[in-house]
Amino acid sequence: MSFVTDPRTGLQLLELSHVWGLGAPSYPGQEDVKMVRSVKHAQHGVLAWKTSTSLHTGTYMLAPIHLIQRGADLAAISPDRFFGNGVVLDVPKGSYETITAQDLKKAGAVREGDIVVINTGWHHKYSDSLEYYGEAPGVTEDAAQWLVEKRCRMVSVDTPFADHPLATSMGPHRGGPQMKRLAGEYEKATGLDPKKEHGKWNIVGKTLLGAGIPLIIQAGGDLDEISGKRATFVATPWKFEHGDACIVRFVAMVDPNGTCRIDSGKA
């Protein structure tokens, strides 16, 4: 297992984020991350970057307001949503496949109030490619509803969308298709009608965010190392008023000795 051990507590910390920066993959229809060194070591002995970016890049969090009018923004989400116990569900999936409620139930026990991370293996394909954005597996409406019934604290996926790409603007929905060949390629590969199979626009995102459950999209890093296991998770966005999304650092913590406790705060 690839982890960092805290020398005082013995906690093992695992990285669940993709590396972010210049060259980070960007969604079809969005501009790339732009960065310049506004201050340089050679010139001033100081380094400072200036960036222009969509906050829907790398590993990022979505707030309800992204899809729910008058939903909570990032600043309004209670901090207790960003930290807690949960499980990584190992649900291997390939091109164009779906993640159903039955898949989640088979993958492991989810307790009420858990943070649930879904590992399909798709994070290994993270790149600026037709395959990564167009062929990604997606969660189904019944799976989203099951997660709501479990009162999940937060939900994360290792794919570029919580929904199937053909249920987003990548396909023939509002604002789309951003990937003009996608519907035809899907039909050719699967023999299925994309409008029939994925006719509801962003239904998974709307179901989860509508229940007040923040989403972390594009989890990665050492996700495989903890797949199928329970851990404590933490990811905090900016306190961004009216913010719908924010790049985050997503971390899992495991206490192999079972002895670590949060400090009382007393001197």
Side-chain angles (χ1 to χ4, degrees):
M1 181 179 289
S2 174
F3 56 80
V4 174
T5 301
D6 181 271
R8 189 177 74 84
T9 64
L11 282 176
Q12 295 174 349
L13 309 176
L14 292 100
E15 177 69 68
L16 302 184
S17 309
H18 286 293
V19 174
W20 185 88
L22 191 64
S26 59
Y27 288 94
Q30 291 185 354
E31 290 189 5
D32 281 340
V33 174
K34 298 175 182 177
M35 299 180 69
V36 296
R37 291 174 295 162
S38 57
V39 182
K40 306 172 186 178
H41 276 299
Q43 185 178 9
H44 295 294
V46 176
L47 174 65
W49 286 94
K50 182 177 180 180
T51 182
S52 172
T53 182
S54 164
L55 294 177
H56 295 241
T57 52
T59 301
Y60 67 95
M61 184 181 294
L62 286 175
I65 198 173
H66 176 63
L67 288 171
I68 307 300
Q69 197 172 84
R70 293 184 292 276
D73 60 19
L74 289 169
I77 299 173
S78 176
D80 69 328
R81 290 276 185 179
F82 307 144
F83 177 88
N85 296 326
V87 62
V88 178
L89 298 179
D90 191 25
V91 189
K93 292 290 178 179
S95 294
Y96 301 122
E97 294 185 335
T98 56
I99 303 141
T100 66
Q102 195 59 35
D103 289 328
L104 299 183
K105 292 174 186 177
K106 287 180 179 179
V110 174
R111 302 171 189 172
E112 186 169 311
D114 267 352
I115 291 174
V116 174
V117 185
I118 301 170
N119 180 15
T120 68
W122 203 254
H123 61 281
H124 293 291
K125 299 178 183 291
Y126 180 67
S127 61
D128 176 23
S129 65
L130 295 170
E131 180 186 22
Y132 178 70
Y133 287 109
E135 298 181 20
V139 177
T140 60
E141 184 178 3
D142 75 307
Q145 190 56 52
W146 185 76
L147 291 167
V148 170
E149 291 168 1
K150 287 290 185 179
R151 301 181 184 275
C152 291
R153 186 180 303 267
M154 191 159 58
V155 170
S156 177
V157 294
D158 71 333
T159 51
F161 318 93
D163 282 86
H164 194 280
L166 279 159
T168 74
S169 60
M170 297 300 104
H173 284 280
R174 63 183 76 180
Q178 295 292 343
M179 302 181 74
K180 300 186 186 302
R181 295 178 293 169
L182 180 55
E185 293 294 330
Y186 171 83
E187 196 163 1
K188 186 189 302 182
T190 65
L192 300 171
D193 180 349
K195 291 184 178 179
K196 182 178 179 181
E197 299 297 320
H198 305 289
K200 293 183 178 180
W201 177 73
N202 275 313
I203 186 61
V204 171
K206 290 170 71 175
T207 298
L208 293 169
L209 294 173
I213 300 171
L215 300 178
I216 292 182
I217 309 298
Q218 298 188 142
D222 298 321
L223 187 58
D224 291 343
E225 302 288 349
I226 201 170
S227 203
K229 299 177 182 179
R230 293 192 63 80
T232 301
F233 302 92
V234 61
T236 56
W238 303 339
K239 194 172 183 179
F240 182 5
E241 188 175 25
H242 309 304
D244 75 301
C246 184
I247 300 156
V248 295
R249 191 77 178 265
F250 191 25
V251 175
M253 296 178 281
V254 177
D255 180 12
N257 300 319
T259 58
C260 180
R261 296 293 181 269
I262 295 174
D263 285 340
S264 66
K266 297 179 181 178

